[in-house]
Amino acid sequence: MPVPSADFKKALKRLSEPEKEALLLRAVRRDAELYETFRFELLADITLDQIQEETADRIHELFTVAVTGRLLNRSLVKAVRAGVQEAARARRITKNKQLEIDLLLYILRQCIDNYSGQFDSVWDGFYNATARLAARLPALVLKSLHEDLWVEYQSELDDVLSELHRRKKSHNLKFNLPRKFEIPE
């Protein structure tokens, strides 16, 4: 991201209000994420819960609409990746890391509740993608959230991790998948 120079800032100050407005409207028309950020920051009726609901709907759509065809395993991997990107986008818009973690847990729940039969497939891409996300999430909770919130995520993360460890493929992973969410003392 380029840092605005002093000359740029001076030129921006010289613009009239209608010119600034036109420039801003042109910028948000080109960049959907910028539009969503300004929409969240400027409009009082757009709440964090609404952003979470909209993003969860997009993630749900990824798993229901985009997951089709004879290459189900591959399309599930793509849905997991796209869902993680949607969660990161929601975090960038709202600057709320707990929202991202909640959405990542929602992705894991979608995978386990609706597509756990694919974990036993011959192809292990979907299982690996889900396991990688599950392995990354405890560290993200510990790093991003206040320690008072850690306990709230413990039971759900333990459920996800134990579900993934029940599969035969958990022994063949090339990374460490924790058995449970360990909260440091």
Side-chain angles (χ1 to χ4, degrees):
M1 214 27 89
V3 178
S5 66
D7 293 336
F8 180 81
K9 290 178 183 178
K10 287 178 187 174
L12 195 58
K13 285 181 182 180
R14 286 192 299 256
L15 291 175
S16 67
E17 285 301 314
E19 290 172 326
K20 286 180 186 177
E21 184 179 326
L23 189 63
L24 181 62
L25 288 173
R26 196 171 21 187
V28 296
R29 266 190 239 116
R30 289 184 184 160
D31 188 352
E33 189 172 316
L34 182 64
Y35 172 74
E36 292 293 325
T37 303
F38 280 141
R39 187 178 136 223
F40 176 70
E41 291 177 5
L42 298 175
L43 300 178
D45 61 330
I46 305 298
T47 63
L48 188 65
D49 292 335
Q50 189 174 355
I51 297 290
Q52 182 173 5
E53 186 178 317
E54 290 172 1
T55 306
D57 287 345
R58 283 195 298 272
I59 290 170
H60 181 75
E61 188 175 312
L62 285 171
F63 278 97
T64 55
V65 175
V67 176
T68 58
R70 63 186 179 95
L71 302 173
L72 182 61
N73 201 286
R74 185 183 302 170
S75 60
L76 283 168
V77 170
K78 288 180 181 180
V80 169
R81 286 184 187 145
V84 168
Q85 290 174 348
E86 284 292 330
R89 182 176 187 260
R91 179 192 33 84
R92 287 192 305 268
I93 289 169
T94 62
K95 311 290 188 270
N96 189 320
K97 293 179 181 178
Q98 186 175 2
L99 172 65
E100 178 184 26
I101 290 169
D102 289 341
L103 290 169
L104 292 175
L105 268 172
Y106 178 73
I107 293 168
L108 287 173
R109 276 283 144 221
Q110 286 284 329
C111 294
I112 290 171
D113 294 346
N114 300 323
Y115 300 102
S116 62
Q118 286 297 311
F119 291 157
D120 298 324
S121 168
V122 177
W123 298 280
D124 57 354
F126 175 58
Y127 180 81
N128 284 343
T130 307
R132 279 195 191 281
L133 180 57
R136 199 180 99 207
L137 203 51
L140 191 61
V141 168
L142 293 175
K143 177 184 161 201
S144 302
L145 299 181
H146 190 271
E147 60 190 38
D148 294 342
L149 296 173
W150 295 349
V151 176
E152 290 181 26
Y153 291 96
Q154 186 173 20
S155 65
E156 192 163 3
L157 282 171
D158 285 347
D159 290 345
V160 167
L161 292 170
S162 67
E163 176 67 31
L164 290 171
H165 272 288
R166 281 190 210 125
R167 308 299 172 148
K168 294 176 189 172
K169 291 182 181 181
S170 67
H171 303 295
N172 300 332
L173 292 173
K174 295 178 180 156
F175 56 91
N176 183 25
L177 180 64
R179 294 237 171 240
K180 63 180 192 165
F181 179 40
E182 307 248 349
I183 296 178
E185 298 295 323

